[in-house]
Amino acid sequence: MNEYFPFKGNKGTAVAVELFSSSQNVPLHTHEFEELVLVARGTCSHKFLGKNTPLMPGDVFLVPSHRPHSYQIPNNLTVYN
């Protein structure tokens, strides 16, 4: 079963911005919202639709709602969601 990550904005808002920094892998998960991701620092591998894609600073991508995805983070990673 995939983990579910809830929306981090305030109730009644349509947009939230989160600065995420971690050196821990992020397990396969889903959410009810589209997630726009900007990689600010570090590198990782993003698993989506059965494919692993290496990511580096400057990469931007969109994860549609209800689509499972995960991150393998070898070192510290900082992203804006």
Side-chain angles (χ1 to χ4, degrees):
M1 178 91 184
N2 298 334
E3 290 190 39
Y4 171 76
F5 290 3
F7 181 64
K8 298 208 170 156
N10 294 327
K11 187 174 182 175
T13 62
V15 176
V17 176
E18 174 191 25
L19 177 61
F20 174 81
S21 186
S22 180
S23 58
Q24 302 281 326
N25 293 335
V26 178
L28 197 63
H29 68 280
T30 60
H31 21 74
E32 292 183 336
F33 52 89
E34 273 81 27
E35 181 180 22
L36 181 64
V37 180
L38 165 64
V39 180
R41 289 187 199 100
T43 61
C44 71
S45 178
H46 180 240
K47 186 172 186 174
F48 181 67
L49 298 177
K51 295 182 182 178
N52 288 310
T53 303
L55 299 175
M56 63 183 69
D59 286 343
V60 177
F61 60 96
L62 180 71
V63 179
S65 60
H66 307 287
R67 294 292 186 110
H69 67 119
S70 65
Y71 298 92
Q72 296 295 313
I73 303 171
N75 299 304
N76 199 24
L77 175 72
T78 301
V79 299
Y80 289 93
N81 293 330

